[in-house]
Amino acid sequence: MEKDIFKDRGRGEEEAYFRQQDAKLIERLHQEAKLEEIAIALAEKLQVDNPDLLRRVMELGVTVDTAPAFFLAPLVQVAWAEGTVTEQERDTVLRLARARGVEVSSPAYAKLLEWLRERPVDAIFDTAVEVIKYGFAVLPPEEQEERIKRVVQACHEVATASGGGLAKVLGLRSGVSSAEASILDTITRTLRSHS
Protein backbone atom coordinates (compact mmCIF):
# COMPACT_ATOMS: atom_id res chain seq x y z
CA MET A 1 0.00 0.00 0.00
CA GLU A 2 2.75 2.43 0.98
CA LYS A 3 4.62 1.70 -2.30
CA ASP A 4 1.50 2.68 -4.26
CA ILE A 5 1.28 6.01 -2.43
CA PHE A 6 4.89 6.85 -3.31
CA LYS A 7 4.38 5.65 -6.87
CA ASP A 8 1.24 7.82 -7.26
CA ARG A 9 2.98 10.78 -5.67
CA GLY A 10 5.96 10.41 -8.03
CA ARG A 11 3.67 10.12 -11.04
CA GLY A 12 1.79 13.24 -9.90
CA GLU A 13 5.02 15.23 -9.53
CA GLU A 14 6.15 14.06 -12.96
CA GLU A 15 2.85 15.11 -14.56
CA ALA A 16 3.06 18.50 -12.82
CA TYR A 17 6.57 18.99 -14.23
CA PHE A 18 5.37 18.14 -17.76
CA ARG A 19 2.49 20.62 -17.40
CA GLN A 20 4.94 23.26 -16.18
CA GLN A 21 7.13 22.79 -19.29
CA ASP A 22 4.04 23.06 -21.51
CA ALA A 23 2.95 26.20 -19.67
CA LYS A 24 6.37 27.84 -20.17
CA LEU A 25 6.26 27.18 -23.89
CA ILE A 26 2.64 28.30 -24.23
CA GLU A 27 3.43 31.51 -22.34
CA ARG A 28 6.35 32.27 -24.68
CA LEU A 29 4.21 31.58 -27.76
CA HIS A 30 1.37 33.73 -26.45
CA GLN A 31 3.71 36.61 -25.60
CA GLU A 32 5.00 36.69 -29.17
CA ALA A 33 8.38 36.29 -27.52
CA LYS A 34 11.61 36.50 -29.47
CA LEU A 35 12.60 33.28 -31.17
CA GLU A 36 15.51 32.96 -28.70
CA GLU A 37 13.09 32.82 -25.75
CA ILE A 38 10.84 30.33 -27.53
CA ALA A 39 13.92 28.22 -28.32
CA ILE A 40 14.85 27.98 -24.64
CA ALA A 41 11.33 27.02 -23.57
CA LEU A 42 11.02 24.48 -26.39
CA ALA A 43 14.44 22.97 -25.60
CA GLU A 44 13.36 22.49 -21.97
CA LYS A 45 10.14 20.82 -23.13
CA LEU A 46 11.98 18.56 -25.57
CA GLN A 47 14.51 17.61 -22.90
CA VAL A 48 11.63 16.34 -20.78
CA ASP A 49 9.17 15.03 -23.39
CA ASN A 50 11.21 14.03 -26.41
CA PRO A 51 14.93 13.73 -25.68
CA ASP A 52 15.42 11.78 -28.93
CA LEU A 53 14.22 14.73 -31.02
CA LEU A 54 16.38 17.12 -28.97
CA ARG A 55 19.40 14.83 -29.51
CA ARG A 56 18.77 14.86 -33.29
CA VAL A 57 18.60 18.66 -33.24
CA MET A 58 21.88 18.86 -31.33
CA GLU A 59 23.54 16.35 -33.70
CA LEU A 60 22.70 18.76 -36.54
CA GLY A 61 24.82 21.37 -34.77
CA VAL A 62 21.90 23.52 -33.63
CA THR A 63 22.55 25.39 -30.39
CA VAL A 64 20.41 27.71 -28.30
CA ASP A 65 22.19 30.61 -30.06
CA THR A 66 21.39 29.32 -33.57
CA ALA A 67 17.94 27.89 -32.77
CA PRO A 68 16.12 30.97 -34.10
CA ALA A 69 17.64 30.24 -37.53
CA PHE A 70 16.52 26.63 -37.16
CA PHE A 71 12.92 27.82 -36.68
CA LEU A 72 13.27 29.72 -39.97
CA ALA A 73 14.70 26.75 -41.87
CA PRO A 74 11.44 26.23 -43.83
CA LEU A 75 11.98 29.69 -45.37
CA VAL A 76 15.49 28.69 -46.37
CA GLN A 77 14.19 25.43 -47.82
CA VAL A 78 11.74 27.32 -50.04
CA ALA A 79 14.52 29.70 -51.10
CA TRP A 80 16.61 26.70 -52.24
CA ALA A 81 13.67 25.00 -54.03
CA GLU A 82 15.00 25.72 -57.52
CA GLY A 83 18.61 24.89 -56.72
CA THR A 84 19.86 28.43 -56.12
CA VAL A 85 18.85 31.31 -53.88
CA THR A 86 18.11 34.59 -55.65
CA GLU A 87 19.02 37.92 -54.11
CA GLN A 88 15.29 38.68 -53.66
CA GLU A 89 14.71 35.38 -51.85
CA ARG A 90 17.76 35.96 -49.65
CA ASP A 91 16.61 39.48 -48.79
CA THR A 92 13.08 38.24 -48.02
CA VAL A 93 14.33 35.50 -45.67
CA LEU A 94 16.58 37.97 -43.84
CA ARG A 95 13.82 40.62 -43.62
CA LEU A 96 11.40 38.06 -42.17
CA ALA A 97 14.08 36.93 -39.70
CA ARG A 98 14.66 40.50 -38.51
CA ALA A 99 10.87 41.01 -38.22
CA ARG A 100 10.82 37.98 -35.90
CA GLY A 101 13.48 39.47 -33.63
CA VAL A 102 16.63 37.86 -35.04
CA GLU A 103 19.36 40.46 -34.54
CA VAL A 104 21.77 41.10 -37.43
CA SER A 105 24.74 40.61 -35.09
CA SER A 106 23.45 37.31 -33.66
CA PRO A 107 24.76 33.77 -34.25
CA ALA A 108 21.31 32.87 -35.63
CA TYR A 109 21.54 35.56 -38.32
CA ALA A 110 25.06 34.38 -39.21
CA LYS A 111 23.70 30.82 -39.50
CA LEU A 112 20.92 32.01 -41.83
CA LEU A 113 23.51 33.77 -44.01
CA GLU A 114 25.56 30.56 -44.11
CA TRP A 115 22.50 28.47 -45.08
CA LEU A 116 21.57 30.98 -47.79
CA ARG A 117 25.10 30.72 -49.27
CA GLU A 118 25.41 26.95 -48.99
CA ARG A 119 22.36 24.68 -48.93
CA PRO A 120 22.00 22.80 -45.64
CA VAL A 121 21.38 19.05 -45.55
CA ASP A 122 17.75 17.92 -45.85
CA ALA A 123 17.84 16.73 -42.23
CA ILE A 124 17.96 20.38 -41.12
CA PHE A 125 14.74 21.13 -43.00
CA ASP A 126 12.93 17.93 -42.00
CA THR A 127 13.87 18.17 -38.33
CA ALA A 128 13.05 21.89 -38.16
CA VAL A 129 9.50 21.28 -39.39
CA GLU A 130 9.15 18.41 -36.91
CA VAL A 131 10.31 20.64 -34.03
CA ILE A 132 8.00 23.49 -35.10
CA LYS A 133 5.08 21.07 -35.26
CA TYR A 134 6.00 19.71 -31.84
CA GLY A 135 6.09 23.21 -30.37
CA PHE A 136 2.73 24.14 -31.86
CA ALA A 137 1.16 20.94 -30.49
CA VAL A 138 0.80 22.51 -27.02
CA LEU A 139 -1.55 25.17 -28.40
CA PRO A 140 -5.32 24.91 -28.77
CA PRO A 141 -6.34 23.77 -32.29
CA GLU A 142 -7.44 27.23 -33.51
CA GLU A 143 -4.20 28.83 -32.37
CA GLN A 144 -2.20 25.93 -33.84
CA GLU A 145 -3.85 26.54 -37.19
CA GLU A 146 -3.13 30.28 -36.99
CA ARG A 147 0.56 29.60 -36.29
CA ILE A 148 0.75 27.11 -39.18
CA LYS A 149 -0.83 29.68 -41.50
CA ARG A 150 1.78 32.25 -40.45
CA VAL A 151 4.65 29.85 -41.19
CA VAL A 152 3.16 28.90 -44.55
CA GLN A 153 2.49 32.56 -45.42
CA ALA A 154 6.12 33.45 -44.66
CA CYS A 155 7.27 30.55 -46.85
CA HIS A 156 4.93 31.73 -49.62
CA GLU A 157 6.41 35.21 -49.33
CA VAL A 158 9.86 33.74 -50.00
CA ALA A 159 8.49 31.69 -52.91
CA THR A 160 7.02 34.73 -54.61
CA ALA A 161 10.02 36.97 -53.94
CA SER A 162 11.66 36.48 -57.31
CA GLY A 163 9.33 34.33 -59.34
CA GLY A 164 7.19 35.05 -62.31
CA GLY A 165 8.56 38.22 -63.86
CA LEU A 166 6.28 39.67 -66.54
CA ALA A 167 3.93 36.67 -66.43
CA LYS A 168 3.32 37.39 -62.74
CA VAL A 169 2.68 41.09 -63.38
CA LEU A 170 0.17 40.22 -66.12
CA GLY A 171 -1.58 37.77 -63.79
CA LEU A 172 -0.66 34.74 -65.88
CA ARG A 173 1.36 33.08 -63.09
CA SER A 174 1.40 33.20 -59.32
CA GLY A 175 5.16 33.65 -59.13
CA VAL A 176 5.51 30.31 -57.33
CA SER A 177 7.40 27.61 -59.24
CA SER A 178 6.27 23.99 -59.19
CA ALA A 179 9.31 23.10 -57.03
CA GLU A 180 8.40 25.83 -54.54
CA ALA A 181 4.73 24.78 -54.57
CA SER A 182 5.75 21.20 -53.83
CA ILE A 183 7.86 22.26 -50.84
CA LEU A 184 5.09 24.57 -49.58
CA ASP A 185 2.64 21.68 -49.81
CA THR A 186 4.97 19.30 -47.96
CA ILE A 187 5.62 21.81 -45.15
CA THR A 188 1.88 22.51 -44.80
CA ARG A 189 0.91 18.83 -44.77
CA THR A 190 3.63 17.97 -42.25
CA LEU A 191 2.66 20.78 -39.87
CA ARG A 192 -1.03 19.82 -40.08
CA SER A 193 -0.56 16.04 -39.81
CA HIS A 194 -1.57 14.39 -36.56
CA SER A 195 0.99 11.90 -35.38
Side-chain angles (χ1 to χ4, degrees):
M1 177 79 170
E2 198 170 300
K3 283 183 182 178
D4 289 341
I5 292 171
F6 288 124
K7 192 177 194 179
D8 289 343
R9 180 176 173 213
R11 193 175 310 126
E13 289 173 355
E14 185 177 288
E15 288 173 8
Y17 184 72
F18 285 131
R19 282 192 304 273
Q20 181 183 25
Q21 296 308 314
D22 288 354
K24 281 183 186 179
L25 180 57
I26 290 168
E27 180 183 345
R28 294 292 181 227
L29 290 169
H30 282 161
Q31 290 176 347
E32 297 293 325
K34 286 188 171 187
L35 291 178
E36 290 91 349
E37 295 170 3
I38 293 170
I40 292 168
L42 185 54
E44 289 173 358
K45 179 171 173 46
L46 285 172
Q47 189 170 6
V48 171
D49 290 0
N50 197 334
D52 180 56
L53 182 55
L54 181 60
R55 180 187 49 75
R56 287 179 17 226
V57 169
M58 292 168 59
E59 286 173 356
L60 290 168
V62 178
T63 65
V64 170
D65 291 337
T66 61
F70 187 65
F71 294 147
L72 298 170
L75 307 180
V76 176
Q77 183 178 16
V78 171
W80 277 104
E82 295 178 305
T84 60
V85 176
T86 67
E87 186 177 336
Q88 296 91 339
E89 289 166 332
R90 176 188 175 280
D91 292 347
T92 301
V93 169
L94 296 175
R95 177 181 50 77
L96 291 167
R98 290 189 305 272
R100 285 159 175 74
V102 178
E103 301 289 331
V104 174
S105 60
S106 71
Y109 198 86
K111 181 57 76 176
L112 280 174
L113 288 171
E114 177 186 321
W115 287 345
L116 290 165
R117 276 192 307 274
E118 187 174 322
R119 188 184 187 284
V121 296
D122 285 338
I124 290 282
F125 301 136
D126 297 341
T127 308
V129 172
E130 189 177 346
V131 168
I132 292 167
K133 176 183 170 181
Y134 191 83
F136 289 171
V138 299
L139 299 170
E142 313 80 42
E143 196 172 341
Q144 246 181 56
E145 182 58 27
E146 179 57 33
R147 295 290 178 144
I148 290 168
K149 284 180 182 176
R150 286 167 49 186
V151 169
V152 172
Q153 177 56 41
C155 289
H156 191 269
E157 211 174 313
V158 174
T160 60
S162 64
L166 182 58
K168 181 180 174 187
V169 171
L170 295 174
L172 302 174
R173 288 185 39 202
S174 68
V176 177
S177 73
S178 60
E180 291 165 332
S182 176
I183 289 172
L184 283 167
D185 184 55
T186 299
I187 290 168
T188 305
R189 275 188 289 112
T190 303
L191 288 174
R192 286 191 173 132
S193 68
H194 301 285
S195 46

